[in-house]
Amino acid sequence: MTSVSTDTEKKKFSAEWRLSMKGADEGDEQTQATYVDLRLEVKSKYILSNSLYIDLQPAIRLVSGQAQTLDGADSMKNSILLNQAGLMFKPASFFQLAAGALDQHYNHTSLLVDSIAFPSARMQSLFRVGSVVSGIVIESAIPTSTSLSSNTQEKEPTPSLNSASLRLNFNASKNAFWKNKVGYFIYNNLPSAVAQQSMLLGNEVNTVSDAHYEFVNKYAGVEASTDLQIPLGTLLDITLESEYVKNTQAKEDVNTAYNVALGSILHVSSALDITLKAKYYSVAPEAAVSYFNARGYETNRIGYEVSGYLNFLKQGYNLGASYKDAEVMFTNTVQSREKTIMIKLETSYANI
C-alpha cells in the first residue's frame, strides 16, 4: 500500500470558498418577487501533472421568499450549480486546451450570455510581452440551462454556440489595467423550448403550433468589451467598463446592445474601500437570445443601475446595495417597466 504525504496532497489540491447572501425585491406588471438568496461557491484545482489539471467550481443556492412570475427565467428554486467543471491541458505557458462545463463569461460579454457553464471545448493561445498579454480564444459550446440540459425535444438537432475572440490586455499593476476583447459568435439549431421562453423575455418568435416555436431571426454577429482602471494618486481609482453586441442577422433598429459603466474605488484606509458605480444599458429585442441573458439584462430593455459597496479588507467581506430600473424599448404584451432593489453581503474567497 502506498501513501501520499500531506505536503504532496496540498501541492496537488487547492481550494477556496465564498459565501454570499442577497435580499431582492423586483417586479413589473407580470412579475413580483421578494426573496433571500444564499450561495456557497467553491473554487478548487487538482493537479494531475505539470501540464494537466482539473478545475472544479461547484455552487449551492438556497432560496426563500415568494414570487409570482410569467416565465421560468425568474422563478426561484434551490439548486446545485456548476460555475465551471473542466479538464485543463496546458503544455506551454502560451497555449491551453480545456473541455467540460466551462464558464461562458470568460469568452463572452454579459449582454450575450449570463454567468453560466456550457458543455464546451476551448482552445486559447495568449502571449505575454512585459505587461502586455495578447492572443486568441476559440470555443465550441452546447448552450444549455443551469441544469446542463440542452432543452431539445425529440428529433431536434443539438444546438451550438461557436465563437472566436481576440484579446489585448495591459496590466501595469494591480490597480492599473486595460483589458480588451472583440469576437464573433454564432448560434445554431436553437430548440423550440428556448424559443418559447425567449418569447416571454423580449425576442420575436413564431408560433408554429401549440408545442413548437421558432425564432424569427438567426443569432450571429460581433461582441466586444473593454475594462479600464486608472489610479488617481494613492486614494482613488477610476473605472470604466463597456460592452457591445450586434446581431448581424437582424434588422438595424433591433439588433444592437451596449452598456457603459463609470465607477470609482476610494481607498479610505488599509482596511476599507468604498466602491460606487453607475451603469446605463440598452438591449434591443433581437440583439441576443433572451433565454441565455435574462438574469442579467433580458432583451427589449433600456435602463440604468446604480450601486455602492463597502469592502472590509481585513475582515474579508463586502456589503452593499443596488437599484435597477429597466424600461421596455418596444411595447409588447409580455414585458413592462421593471424595478429591482437588492442588498448583498459577500465574503472574500478564503482557503479551505
Side-chain angles (χ1 to χ4, degrees):
M1 180 177 178
T2 303
S3 61
V4 180
S5 68
T6 303
D7 290 341
T8 303
E9 288 179 352
K10 286 182 179 179
K11 291 178 182 179
K12 283 184 170 292
F13 178 79
S14 62
E16 52 185 2
W17 66 279
R18 178 176 70 179
L19 187 67
S20 65
M21 181 175 64
K22 67 178 181 181
D25 183 273
E26 57 187 35
D28 56 26
E29 293 179 1
Q30 287 81 27
T31 301
Q32 184 63 49
T34 302
Y35 62 92
V36 174
D37 186 340
L38 178 66
R39 296 192 186 210
L40 172 64
E41 297 176 285
V42 176
K43 287 183 178 181
S44 64
K45 180 187 291 186
Y46 187 81
I47 300 175
L48 300 172
S49 68
N50 291 335
S51 58
L52 189 66
Y53 67 92
I54 297 172
D55 184 357
L56 180 62
Q57 301 181 31
I60 299 174
R61 183 192 188 203
L62 302 175
V63 184
S64 63
Q66 60 180 2
Q68 295 176 329
T69 178
L70 181 66
D71 61 82
D74 296 318
S75 63
M76 299 185 305
K77 57 184 177 181
N78 301 328
S79 56
I80 297 176
L81 310 173
L82 277 176
N83 293 329
Q84 182 152 283
L87 184 65
M88 312 295 182
F89 177 58
K90 194 172 184 178
S93 61
F94 59 87
F95 183 78
Q96 184 183 72
L97 295 174
L102 304 182
D103 181 11
Q104 292 304 295
H105 266 187
Y106 183 80
N107 203 34
H108 298 292
T109 64
S110 57
L111 291 169
L112 187 72
V113 182
D114 289 328
S115 181
I116 188 172
F118 287 166
S120 312
R122 180 187 296 157
M123 181 194 76
Q124 69 176 35
S125 182
L126 301 175
F127 295 87
R128 178 184 294 274
V129 179
S131 59
V132 179
V133 177
S134 61
I136 186 171
V137 179
I138 299 173
E139 183 172 5
S140 181
I142 301 174
T144 63
S145 64
T146 53
S147 63
L148 296 181
S149 168
S150 63
N151 293 295
T152 54
Q153 300 174 1
E154 187 177 356
K155 296 183 179 179
E156 286 188 320
T158 302
S160 65
L161 171 59
N162 298 316
S163 59
S165 64
L166 298 174
R167 309 293 179 92
L168 181 61
N169 300 337
F170 303 90
N171 303 294
S173 66
K174 177 183 177 181
N175 296 333
F177 56 81
W178 188 19
K179 300 177 181 180
N180 301 277
K181 176 173 59 181
V182 60
Y184 176 81
F185 69 92
I186 180 170
Y187 282 100
N188 289 306
N189 302 322
L190 290 172
S192 176
V194 171
Q196 181 185 20
Q197 290 296 322
S198 297
M199 179 176 61
L200 303 174
L201 296 163
N203 285 151
E204 189 175 358
V205 174
N206 286 330
T207 303
V208 180
S209 67
D210 290 341
H212 185 66
Y213 303 82
E214 63 181 15
F215 287 100
V216 171
N217 295 290
K218 295 184 180 298
Y219 293 90
V222 295
E223 61 177 331
S225 67
T226 186
D227 185 1
L228 175 67
Q229 181 168 317
I230 302 174
L232 299 180
T234 58
L235 299 180
L236 181 66
D237 298 340
I238 299 297
T239 63
L240 175 64
E241 303 169 18
S242 183
E243 296 178 324
Y244 174 84
V245 170
K246 183 172 184 177
N247 176 17
T248 57
Q249 304 301 300
K251 295 179 181 179
E252 285 292 331
D253 58 339
V254 294
N255 70 350
T256 303
Y258 66 90
N259 65 42
V260 179
L262 181 64
S264 64
I265 304 173
L266 179 63
H267 306 291
V268 178
S269 68
S270 60
L272 176 64
D273 284 351
I274 299 177
T275 300
L276 301 173
K277 183 182 292 186
K279 178 186 292 186
Y280 176 83
Y281 59 91
S282 173
V283 188
E286 298 303 304
V289 180
S290 272
Y291 182 76
F292 297 124
N293 80 337
R295 292 194 180 278
Y297 291 95
E298 295 184 10
T299 61
N300 195 33
R301 293 284 188 183
I302 184 169
Y304 67 90
E305 181 178 2
V306 292
S307 61
Y309 287 87
L310 302 176
N311 184 3
F312 298 93
L313 303 173
K314 291 185 177 180
Q315 290 84 356
Y317 69 92
N318 302 323
L319 176 63
S322 66
Y323 173 78
K324 182 167 69 173
D325 192 320
E327 186 58 275
V328 176
M329 295 181 68
F330 298 91
T331 303
N332 60 31
T333 59
V334 295
Q335 290 180 296
S336 58
R337 184 178 180 183
E338 182 182 62
K339 297 180 181 180
T340 303
I341 300 174
M342 184 182 69
I343 299 174
K344 187 174 184 179
L345 173 65
E346 181 179 76
T347 68
S348 303
Y349 276 104
N351 293 330
I352 294 178

